[in-house]
Amino acid sequence: MLSINSYQIAVFDCDGVILDSNQIKSEAFAHALPDDPPELVRNFVQYHKKNGGVSRYLKFEHYFKNIRKQAEYSEAMKAALNRYALYSKNGLMQCREIPGIRSLLKFLNAQQIPCFVVSGGDQTEVRSVLQERNLAKYFQKILGSPLSKTENLSILKSKNCLKKPSVYFGDSLSDMVAAGEFGLNFIFVAGASEWEEGRLTCREANLYTIEDFKELAD
């Protein structure tokens, strides 16, 4: 049985871990490209799902450079990012929380276990959404893109914020890789994940998998 209060630090991804927002993000990528060929947009959404946790900036750059194969795309990318941000923010404010997350955060705070967010989402947006949803108060720092998860974890490490043993709650391959790089115990939050190979990958790596946080908060 997992003993969550044995950890000194808890790190959380946001989409699919704190908020049930993965589907919203997938829809936002499609809505950001309303006039583009549907087959290219479908390819892009599939690329997004296979690269969970990577920032929107890198994903849109990949789309225009490698899928649409445009030589000059700065203005088109800027417009797409604006459309994406509008759809994403509205969805993030309306989607449900991952079951049990708020109870777990209250427990961790009561145990004086510092909590951090390291998200692939836009940092300003993630901070705003968690503040408006009254969740920001549970976290000492909320970090996101345009810096990568590895870069943000490096920042936490440099400030001595990753004392071991630490746990990283994530729902994507990039989360698992980042956790391993910094020696954090990875727990796969599977219930809302779009990582199709996640359960098998984590089982083969002998990593802990939960559907949501109710089993930890109860």
Side-chain angles (χ1 to χ4, degrees), residues 57-100:
Y57 305 98
L58 292 177
K59 287 177 179 176
F60 276 111
E61 185 173 4
H62 172 81
Y63 173 74
F64 286 105
K65 185 176 181 179
N66 300 316
I67 296 179
R68 272 204 67 110
K69 301 186 185 303
Q70 287 185 221
E72 173 52 50
Y73 53 81
S74 59
E75 289 302 315
M77 180 170 161
K78 183 177 179 181
L81 281 165
N82 288 337
R83 287 190 293 267
Y84 176 93
L86 180 61
Y87 188 92
S88 175
K89 177 68 182 294
N90 290 337
L92 288 169
M93 290 304 303
Q94 297 173 22
C95 68
R96 69 167 190 159
E97 296 172 11
I98 296 298

Side-chain angles (χ1 to χ4, degrees), residues 122-140:
D122 179 80
Q123 181 168 282
T124 300
E125 179 183 85
V126 174
R127 288 178 173 177
S128 174
V129 167
L130 294 183
Q131 183 67 43
E132 291 182 48
R133 296 189 64 141
N134 201 30
L135 284 163
K137 63 185 180 183
Y138 297 113
F139 301 103
Q140 292 197 1

Side-chain angles (χ1 to χ4, degrees), residues 3-86:
S3 178
I4 199 65
N5 60 353
S6 65
Y7 292 108
Q8 292 199 53
I9 303 292
V11 179
F12 295 80
D13 180 34
C14 184
D15 296 312
V17 175
I18 298 172
L19 301 177
D20 188 359
S21 48
N22 281 329
Q23 184 176 347
I24 288 164
K25 291 295 184 74
S26 295
E27 293 170 356
F29 279 108
H31 279 269
L33 303 163
D35 301 319
D36 284 41
E39 65 274 15
L40 297 187
V41 175
R42 283 193 295 270
N43 289 344
F44 181 44
V45 172
Q46 285 303 115
Y47 170 81
H48 151 69
K49 290 181 177 181
K50 290 180 178 179
N51 291 274
V54 176
S55 83
R56 68 188 66 176
Y57 305 98
L58 292 177
K59 287 177 179 176
F60 276 111
E61 185 173 4
H62 172 81
Y63 173 74
F64 286 105
K65 185 176 181 179
N66 300 316
I67 296 179
R68 272 204 67 110
K69 301 186 185 303
Q70 287 185 221
E72 173 52 50
Y73 53 81
S74 59
E75 289 302 315
M77 180 170 161
K78 183 177 179 181
L81 281 165
N82 288 337
R83 287 190 293 267
Y84 176 93
L86 180 61

